Each structure stands twice: as structure tokens, then as C-alpha cells.
Amino acid sequence: MKLTVSVLGAGSWGTTVASLVARNAPTLLWARNPETAREIREAHTNSRYLPGCRVHSALRATADLEEAVSAADVLVVGIPSQHFRSILEQARPHLRPWVPVISLAKGLEQGTRM
């Protein structure tokens, strides 16, 4: 049985990690921007954050946070630290309690310095 991995954050770091994971496991990447999700699905590129690079052809993408979180057997969070808390608060109702959450974040939350 293969575990489904969902990666939140379709910037350069999240997209790169998701593309690498997609080589070994079903992977769904959440992009805040629906146009970015469409480009990743259809063209296998993310020209805004990774110009000139192709992502793995098995990588799927969505702009629907509920879809990405509820599908996850493992949730990887690769969003900027200043948005980490708000995105996880939105994701929380859709996250099954036994699903591990892995953080790729670095830095401090703006305002709280947490």
C-alpha cells in the first residue's frame, strides 16, 4: 500500500519537494493560486517559481485546500513561516488525527516572531 503525500505550498521549495516525492509515492501539491495548480497539472511546470524546470509527470496539483489535506496520509507543509499558522488553522478540520505533519518551514512568523 502506497501512502498519499500532500504538500502544501507550491513555491519553489514546496514544488521541488513534491516533485521529488512524486517519484516514489502518489503526491498532491496544494497551490494557493488556481492558475499555478492548473499549470502544474497540465504543463508539468511552475514557471513563476521554477522557470525552465519541469516537475515529475506523476505530480498532481489542486487549489482546493480541503482536497489536499483530506487526501493526505502524510502532510508536508512547505509554506512561508508567516503564513504557516493561518494555513494550518484552515487545514485542521480536514486533517485526520493520525496523519503526521512534516514542516519544511524556516524563519519566523512576522509580528509574533514565533
Side-chain angles (χ1 to χ4, degrees), residues 19-39:
S19 185
L20 291 170
V21 172
R23 295 173 181 220
N24 298 302
T27 305
L28 180 59
L29 176 61
W30 173 74
R32 176 176 38 98
N33 183 321
E35 206 40 46
T36 300
R38 183 204 55 75
E39 179 186 347

Side-chain angles (χ1 to χ4, degrees), residues 22 30 56 79 84:
W30 173 74
H56 195 277
I79 55 178
F84 199 85

Side-chain angles (χ1 to χ4, degrees), residues 68-85:
V69 174
S70 63
D73 296 312
V74 176
L75 185 65
V76 179
V77 184
I79 55 178
S81 55
Q82 67 264 21
H83 303 295
F84 199 85
R85 182 189 311 260

Side-chain angles (χ1 to χ4, degrees), residues 32-92:
R32 176 176 38 98
N33 183 321
E35 206 40 46
T36 300
R38 183 204 55 75
E39 179 186 347
I40 292 167
R41 271 193 319 273
E42 295 177 6
H44 306 293
T45 60
N46 185 341
S47 58
R48 179 172 181 190
Y49 293 104
L50 295 172
C53 296
R54 291 187 58 77
V55 298
H56 195 277
S57 60
L59 179 61
R60 298 175 300 125
T62 183
D64 184 334
L65 184 62
E66 179 179 352
E67 176 188 4
V69 174
S70 63
D73 296 312
V74 176
L75 185 65
V76 179
V77 184
I79 55 178
S81 55
Q82 67 264 21
H83 303 295
F84 199 85
R85 182 189 311 260
S86 66
I87 296 300
L88 285 180
E89 286 172 350
Q90 294 172 53
R92 184 180 187 178

